[in-house]
Amino acid sequence: MTGKTSPLSFYHACILWHRHQFNASNASIPKAGAINAQFFKTVSYYRQQSNAFSAADLHDLTGRILACPYFAVNNLNRDFVGTKGFSIAFRRSQIAEVERQFPFFSSYLNLALEPSCNAFYLNPLLLKEGSRVDPHIDRSLRSYCKTIDPPAIVSVLYVQVPDALQGGELVLRNHRQQVGQIKPQLGKLLWFQGDLTHSVNAVKTPGSRLSLVCEQYNLVDAELEDIPPFAIESRVLKPKSRSCK
């Protein structure tokens, strides 16, 4: 691979969306190329699927995330005010290792990951009353590769949402123009264009707003070499060999 691939055609973009929407594993999608600006600007800056997972599965996933020994005050930057979580950086070649150490993420990865992306930054994100996320553009793999572009796509699953939630909306902006405001809904899975500025409004009600976020990148070979095959990031210093099961 010598450079980033050309944009997906509208036809292939529609196929890709329907694959996410209906989980049609036999859809004809190019192996190369990333979801990018053409797809989102032609159709929308984001797409969403309601009830992507059952309430029982989400309840189990919540418990597994909160019980994981890596879960702590967030290791992300100061834009993430009053939040908790941990992060996993990995290449596509190490998806099996992610699923081995974190089997409760398997269903999400199977549904949410774009097949043409080759590097990922996955993090559970917990907000409580008073928590917020200030405006930023995702580029979390920049700590490994300074010249990296924003992700091709970011996927978000709402794992736990308080009843009668006030605040906590995901706000999407293209430069200064607001292009979306998504209210969290239990089981909603969404994908948005990776170079959008986004933020999360302050949560104003008691309870936990838990989401599972994955930045998905389409890197050239030189960039990919700088990304660790598999790395766990957490403020809790635990041996990397320890599994969360």
Side-chain angles (χ1 to χ4, degrees):
M1 185 184 298
T2 58
K4 288 187 171 60
T5 55
S6 60
L8 289 176
S9 68
F10 176 72
Y11 171 73
H12 282 136
C14 289
I15 290 176
L16 182 56
W17 168 241
H18 284 291
R19 178 183 183 274
H20 286 313
Q21 186 76 10
F22 302 108
N23 198 24
S25 59
N26 61 344
S28 177
I29 302 169
K31 293 183 180 179
I35 299 183
N36 51 34
Q38 177 171 327
F39 169 50
F40 289 99
K41 288 179 180 176
T42 303
V43 185
S44 174
Y45 287 97
Y46 65 95
R47 286 295 177 198
Q48 52 192 333
Q49 177 182 345
S50 298
N51 302 314
F53 294 89
S54 70
D57 288 341
L58 294 168
H59 179 76
D60 179 70
L61 179 56
T62 298
R64 299 297 186 96
I65 291 172
L66 298 183
C68 181
Y70 299 111
F71 189 82
V73 173
N74 227 317
N75 58 294
L76 301 174
N77 64 36
R78 60 186 179 184
D79 293 330
F80 293 77
V81 179
T83 68
K84 291 185 176 182
F86 63 94
S87 304
I88 312 168
F90 61 99
R91 301 181 194 174
R92 175 166 290 279
S93 61
Q94 296 301 305
I95 290 177
E97 179 61 18
V98 177
E99 293 178 331
R100 185 186 73 81
Q101 294 209 36
F102 303 90
F104 44 92
F105 290 154
S106 180
S107 295
Y108 170 81
L109 297 175
N110 182 60
L111 182 58
L113 295 194
E114 194 325 86
S116 67
C117 291
N118 55 12
F120 308 91
Y121 193 85
L122 175 68
N123 63 284
L125 178 62
L126 180 72
L127 284 76
K128 290 184 173 288
E129 186 174 12
S131 302
R132 70 177 194 275
V133 179
D134 292 336
H136 67 284
I137 297 175
D138 285 333
R139 202 175 293 177
S140 298
L141 291 182
R142 186 168 47 185
S143 60
Y144 302 105
C145 179
K146 298 298 183 184
T147 60
I148 201 167
D149 288 335
I153 185 173
V154 178
S155 51
V156 182
L157 171 66
Y158 293 107
V159 180
Q160 185 180 40
V161 179
D163 294 333
L165 173 67
Q166 295 181 23
E169 300 90 353
L170 172 65
V171 179
L172 304 175
R173 290 184 175 86
N174 182 28
H175 302 289
R176 294 186 178 183
Q177 178 188 4
Q178 182 171 314
V179 296
Q181 180 165 301
I182 297 95
K183 184 175 178 60
Q185 185 178 64
L186 186 67
K188 178 183 287 185
L189 176 61
L190 68 94
W191 299 260
F192 66 86
Q193 184 175 308
D195 61 356
L196 294 179
T197 299
H198 55 284
S199 58
V200 176
N201 292 336
V203 175
K204 299 178 180 178
T205 48
S208 298
R209 175 199 186 276
L210 177 63
S211 59
L212 192 53
V213 183
C214 189
E215 302 171 22
Q216 307 189 38
Y217 296 80
N218 184 29
L219 305 182
V220 300
D221 287 346
E223 293 169 332
L224 189 61
E225 288 176 0
D226 290 334
I227 307 304
F230 172 82
I232 299 169
E233 300 177 7
S234 172
R235 290 192 184 276
V236 177
L237 298 178
K238 298 287 184 179
K240 290 186 177 181
S241 59
R242 182 170 180 176
S243 299
C244 302
K245 296 181 180 178

